[in-house]
């Protein structure tokens, strides 16, 4: 088992990447604290993990709220005694996010609050817990759009993921000598609720698919496997990376510097 006796907190556990990661990490021996705002779905996933013989607990938190993220880290330490893996994964892509002219200030602010402040708060309260545990691994979910402009405008989302990637690099450098690794998982376009709601017509989906060399959307399960690598000691010499899992999209479009 690759995460035996590790304690892992995963935000956005009720759906998509967070859900698949919680299931996989539990199979690999980790104790899971699953965090989300969608309590019904989240509690169901945690229950499934426990029924399957894993160890997991659910905690309700809105990651854009400092007090709630502080409480989720406190809950992890109280419940399982420590925290070793922090997966700051919860994120939103709002249906009204568009180009600079069409995106309302309120949509921009909301996107930044969840996607950027959510990661900041996770680290603000999570890093002291990792320090108390003697080190650990932080994974922040960014996106391929932190590196490329998206074909379908989503300005607030793109800006937020750029911030997540920059923050990850600085955190990695700051905490490198504390046995704390910090990496950004940069998924390509996935067939999850988040993206399918946004690309809500076949035309929009095809427009995105044209750019993916593999010719298909990725799966949440494929992101969970990547998160497992970043969480485990197999990636022990990796920190501050933009870990791209994108079906080849950046290989096709990023020009070498
Ligand atoms: P998803 O919508 O399936 O899951 C996101 C989860 O986060 C949901 O359970 C939701 O309830 C939760 N959440 C939203 N706001 C929250 C908040 N304020 N506090 C706590 N929980 C909250 O989406 P997903 O595809 O699994 O996305 C996970 C991460 O991956 C996100 O950060 C997303 O931006 C990123 N990502 C997704 C794609 C994609 O194509 N789906 C691509 C690149 C990056």
């Amino acid at each position: 088992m690759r995460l035996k006796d590790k304690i892992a907190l995963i935000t956005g556990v009720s759906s998509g990447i967070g859900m698949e990661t919680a299931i996989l990490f539990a199979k690999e021996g980790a104790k899971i604290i699953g965090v989300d705002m969608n309590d019904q779905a989240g509690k169901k996933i945690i229950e499934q993990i426990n029924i399957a013989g894993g160890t997991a607990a659910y905690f309700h938190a809105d990651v854009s709220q400092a007090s709630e993220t502080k409480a989720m880290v406190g809950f992890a330490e109280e419940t399982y005694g420590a925290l070793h893996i922090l997966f700051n994964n919860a994120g939103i892509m709002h249906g009204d996010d568009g180009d600079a002219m069409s995106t309302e200030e309120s949509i921009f602010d909301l996107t930044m609050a969840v996607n950027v402040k959510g990661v900041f708060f996770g680290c603000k309260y999570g890093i002291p817990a990792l320090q108390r545990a003697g080190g650990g691994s932080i994974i922040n979910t960014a996106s391929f759009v932190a590196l490329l402009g998206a074909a379908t405008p989503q300005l607030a989302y793109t800006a937020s993921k750029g911030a997540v990637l920059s923050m990850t690099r600085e955190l990695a450098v700051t905490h490198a000598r504390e046995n704390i690794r910090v990496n950004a998982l940069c998924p390509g376009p996935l067939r999850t609720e988040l993206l399918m709601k946004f690309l809500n017509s076949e035309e929009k989906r095809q427009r995105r698919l044209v750019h993916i060399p593999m010719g298909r959307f990725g799966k949440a399960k494929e992101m969970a496997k990547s998160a497992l690598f970043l969480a485990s000691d197999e990636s022990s010499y990796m920190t501050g990376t933009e870990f791209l899992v994108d079906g080849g999209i950046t290989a096709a479009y990023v020009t070498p510097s």
Side-chain angles (χ1 to χ4, degrees), residues 12 15-17 36-37 61-63 89 91 141-142 157 161 188 190 192 194:
S15 172
I17 300 174
D36 210 289
M37 288 167 67
D62 174 350
V63 297
N89 167 71
T141 306
Y157 183 81
K161 294 303 183 179
L190 309 180
T192 64
L194 178 133

Side-chain angles (χ1 to χ4, degrees), residues 97-120:
D97 191 1
D99 60 24
M101 293 161 293
S102 63
T103 304
E104 295 291 341
E105 187 180 357
S106 60
I107 301 298
F108 193 89
D109 287 347
L110 175 66
T111 304
M112 287 295 178
V114 177
N115 294 7
V116 183
K117 266 177 32 174
V119 173
F120 162 56

